[in-house]
Amino acid sequence: MQLQPAFLLHKRPYRETSALVELLTLDHGRVRAVAQGVQRPGSRSRSQMQPFAPLHLTWQGDRELKRLRLIESRGPAAMLAGEGLLCGLYANELLTRLLPVELPVGQVFAFYTSALDELATPASRAAALRRLEFALLDALDAAPRFTTPDGGGLDPQRRYRFEPGSRAFVVAERGIDGRTLRLLAGADWGEAGLAGPAKALSRAALAPLLGDRPLRSRALMVAMAERRRQAR
């Protein structure tokens, strides 16, 4: 096969010198594979196979678990630290948990690649994560439809609650106003005041897919925020 652009999402030791890896690839989506010898001291692949580092890979195998054959670097890893690093870990955990194996998700790959550049800058983190989340929801056929359950338009003067089952919005006393939802439908991320509603909506849409098992990266974000609050 031809070299495939990819990123490492997760890695854990396997046997003595190998690793089981979860990868996000351009044309094949999430791929599970064995990286043989990647844990061996002095291995060039060990230094290349790191989170947030762009890779070129080939693999072989007809079953779900592949075997990596060629691992090449295609650039330096994104330099993420602190909150930016936790956001990157969140993106990796989300994709590992929710993407089916070998579902082509070119748009998700594109937004993930872009997010790695944006997560280093505090002002751009929230929008980068929302774009990735909504691309993921779209790939999973779970994105909000931004209509009422019967397909009607949203009234800018009313408030709505998202219903994951229908992927539509029902009128609610407490919810997101129709004007804001219309802006979100157009992915108008630059509009002031959208950060909070966009985050609330993405969480509501992702919740049924994630189930009851919490995200470890989200818990780390909460703990960091609490430490900052106590330090003030």
Side-chain angles (χ1 to χ4, degrees), residues 116-140:
L116 292 185
D117 292 329
E118 297 176 278
L119 292 180
T121 306
S124 63
R125 285 172 189 157
L129 288 179
R130 299 298 87 79
R131 283 191 286 267
L132 178 62
E133 288 167 342
F134 279 101
L136 175 60
L137 287 166
D138 190 53
L140 298 176

Side-chain angles (χ1 to χ4, degrees), residues 23-170:
L23 305 160
L24 177 65
T25 71
L26 176 60
D27 296 323
H28 301 269
R30 183 169 69 92
V31 170
R32 301 180 67 242
V34 175
Q36 293 180 318
V38 76
Q39 299 289 86
R40 186 181 298 116
S43 167
R44 186 179 69 171
S45 297
R46 181 173 185 170
S47 62
Q48 294 172 333
M49 186 68 73
Q50 298 296 328
F52 319 125
L55 302 167
H56 271 138
L57 306 171
T58 63
W59 59 84
Q60 66 179 27
D62 297 326
R63 298 183 179 181
E64 181 176 301
L65 187 63
K66 313 298 184 184
R67 182 167 69 87
L68 293 187
R69 297 195 62 186
L70 182 64
I71 303 172
E72 291 184 354
S73 170
R74 57 185 179 93
M79 301 300 291
L80 301 180
E83 186 179 82
L85 175 59
L86 291 183
C87 289
L89 294 175
Y90 165 76
N92 284 3
E93 186 177 10
L94 191 67
L95 297 178
T96 302
R97 282 272 297 270
L98 296 186
L99 273 180
V101 173
E102 296 189 66
L103 172 70
V105 285
Q107 189 174 37
V108 173
F109 187 92
F111 279 120
Y112 179 87
T113 302
S114 175
L116 292 185
D117 292 329
E118 297 176 278
L119 292 180
T121 306
S124 63
R125 285 172 189 157
L129 288 179
R130 299 298 87 79
R131 283 191 286 267
L132 178 62
E133 288 167 342
F134 279 101
L136 175 60
L137 287 166
D138 190 53
L140 298 176
D141 200 26
R145 298 184 188 277
F146 293 101
T147 67
T148 60
D150 61 2
L154 302 177
D155 185 341
Q157 306 303 319
R158 309 193 77 170
R159 290 187 171 273
Y160 297 89
R161 182 183 72 251
F162 178 64
E163 291 288 334
S166 64
R167 297 166 53 193
F169 292 84
V170 296

Side-chain angles (χ1 to χ4, degrees), residues 214-231:
L215 290 167
R216 295 179 61 188
S217 52
R218 188 175 287 170
L220 291 173
M221 289 182 190
V222 172
M224 173 180 279
E226 179 62 19
R227 287 196 298 271
R228 288 179 175 176
R229 187 188 67 79
Q230 292 177 352

